[in-house]
Amino acid sequence: NAGVTQTPKFQVLKTGQSMTLQCAQDMNHNSMYWYRQDPGMGLRLIYYSASEGTTDKGEVPNGYNVSRLNKREFSLRLESAAPSQTSVYFCASGYSLSSYEQYFGPGTRLTVT
Amino acid sequence: AQTVTQSQPEMSVQEAETVTLSCTYDTSESNYYLFWYKQPPSRQMILVIRQEAYKQQNATENRFSVNFQKAAKSFSLKISDSQLGDTAMYFCAFMKLYETSGSRLTFGEGTQLTVNP
């Protein structure tokens, strides 16, 4: 039981490049989330998926797209990376719409130069 | 929208002593959860303790306890008998349960706690 896994762990991009961050969970959770963590600002919600086939914007969605590929996988895509997207990205999952506990992946450190 | 504020960016404590981390929040909701998460240097987010707003009794998990003051919208974390392994960033977080659109966490800015030997 691996929990929530994320790939890659580290990534460096040039401005304008695109990339996809992958997230998978093996806990049969319905809900999945993408957060970014910046110094002094805590974690902020980018997008979330309450169930397979649905996605919704969070607090800071601009510059990102997501895909809930199936119940296990939830990817985050940067179409044209900008230095302001330099951050640590966390994926999380939760059992149901009303579940109070979210389980986090190990994070991806992304640097955009 | 909910906001969560942690007014102590950094704190330090001696090993075996007690420390309290502060958190305040603002919401118009009456039913919600509050959490404290720990993030050690490994970057992994670890749930420390949770409190349901409808419960008057303060939550306790071993050396960790909270002081939940609903009217004051305050939610502090007390760590007793501090250990070196408690050194980490601590985040306070708020969750209102949405029946149809998923449960989302709102985090505070974090408090970096250092336990000194």
Side-chain angles (χ1 to χ4, degrees):
Chain A
N1 191 335
V4 180
T5 57
Q6 292 182 235
T7 55
K9 286 188 168 49
F10 301 93
Q11 183 71 49
V12 179
L13 291 178
K14 293 188 185 328
T15 297
Q17 287 185 320
S18 62
M19 80 161 294
T20 299
L21 280 64
Q22 306 287 354
C23 174
Q25 52 91 8
D26 61 2
M27 296 175 282
N28 200 34
H29 287 165
N30 291 328
S31 303
M32 298 185 74
Y33 309 83
W34 276 106
Y35 295 89
R36 60 177 288 173
Q37 181 179 17
D38 301 299
M41 299 187 74
L43 280 76
R44 292 180 293 168
L45 183 66
I46 304 172
Y47 269 95
Y48 67 101
S49 171
S51 62
E52 185 178 354
T54 68
T55 60
D56 284 286
K57 295 179 180 179
E59 184 184 351
V60 288
N62 291 344
Y64 305 94
N65 286 302
V66 291
S67 295
R68 184 74 182 270
L69 305 170
N70 47 54
K71 191 169 186 178
R72 289 187 65 249
E73 299 172 289
F74 188 39
S75 62
L76 178 71
R77 182 161 178 84
L78 287 71
E79 291 290 352
S80 178
S84 61
Q85 294 178 305
T86 293
S87 189
V88 179
Y89 291 85
F90 286 94
C91 178
S93 70
Y95 182 67
S96 69
L97 296 179
S98 59
S99 172
Y100 55 73
E101 186 159 356
Q102 292 183 15
Y103 297 82
F104 286 81
T108 295
R109 182 177 292 279
L110 175 67
T111 302
V112 183
T113 61
Chain B
Q2 284 70 230
T3 59
V4 179
T5 302
Q6 295 177 246
S7 58
Q8 305 153 314
E10 297 179 356
M11 293 191 71
S12 63
V13 63
Q14 293 298 123
E15 196 175 6
E17 293 187 346
T18 296
V19 64
T20 299
L21 309 183
S22 300
C23 172
T24 58
Y25 59 96
D26 187 23
T27 184
S28 58
E29 305 293 339
S30 57
N31 296 314
Y32 50 87
Y33 288 118
L34 293 164
F35 305 86
W36 280 97
Y37 279 87
K38 169 185 177 181
Q39 187 180 44
S42 67
R43 214 166 61 196
Q44 182 69 46
M45 293 289 287
I46 302 165
L47 178 64
V48 175
I49 198 166
R50 69 175 183 272
Q51 173 79 43
E52 292 88 337
Y54 64 86
K55 289 187 178 179
Q56 293 186 335
Q57 186 173 5
N58 289 325
T60 300
E61 289 286 344
N62 300 314
R63 297 182 295 108
F64 299 88
S65 61
V66 299
N67 183 4
F68 173 48
Q69 301 290 328
K70 190 172 184 178
K73 297 180 181 175
S74 170
F75 183 60
S76 61
L77 174 70
K78 185 171 82 171
I79 306 174
S80 304
D81 186 24
S82 297
Q83 300 176 359
L84 297 178
D86 294 334
T87 292
M89 182 73 84
Y90 287 80
F91 292 98
C92 178
F94 172 100
M95 175 188 284
K96 178 189 179 298
L97 300 183
Y98 294 94
E99 292 184 0
T100 57
S101 59
S103 308
R104 295 173 284 180
L105 283 167
T106 300
F107 287 86
E109 307 91 335
T111 296
Q112 176 63 50
L113 175 67
T114 301
V115 180
N116 299 308

